[in-house]
Amino acid sequence: MSATLQSLGLDRLSVEERLALIGELWDSLDTEPPLTDAQKADLDQRLAAFHADPKAGSTWDDVKARLCVRPV
């Protein structure tokens, strides 16, 4: 059975108390999961490649434009 406002008694809280609880719940979430060693190594390699030749990649605007083009 999943928790509901009523089963947890949250329906009896004031609006201010509910908002405070929302803030506490939000803060309790781990919004940035830890990276694996392989992910860190990949990011380090990509960053090094960017620093070596910043013009080799595409801008976000260019990428977005390519993605939005519909084949005829």
Side-chain angles (χ1 to χ4, degrees), residues 13-39:
L13 297 176
S14 69
V15 172
E16 292 80 16
E17 291 170 322
R18 290 183 196 191
L19 288 172
L21 182 58
I22 289 170
E24 288 184 43
L25 286 170
W26 184 261
D27 291 343
S28 74
L29 297 176
D30 186 6
T31 58
E32 295 193 31
L35 296 175
T36 65
D37 289 340
Q39 289 170 321

Side-chain angles (χ1 to χ4, degrees), residues 4-18:
T4 65
L5 288 173
Q6 292 78 20
S7 69
L8 295 172
L10 301 178
D11 58 323
R12 295 187 299 273
L13 297 176
S14 69
V15 172
E16 292 80 16
E17 291 170 322
R18 290 183 196 191

Side-chain angles (χ1 to χ4, degrees), residues 51-71:
H51 286 299
D53 188 5
K55 300 252 185 228
S58 299
T59 67
W60 171 237
D61 288 335
D62 291 341
V63 172
K64 192 166 45 172
R66 285 195 308 268
L67 290 172
C68 292
V69 172
R70 295 183 182 186

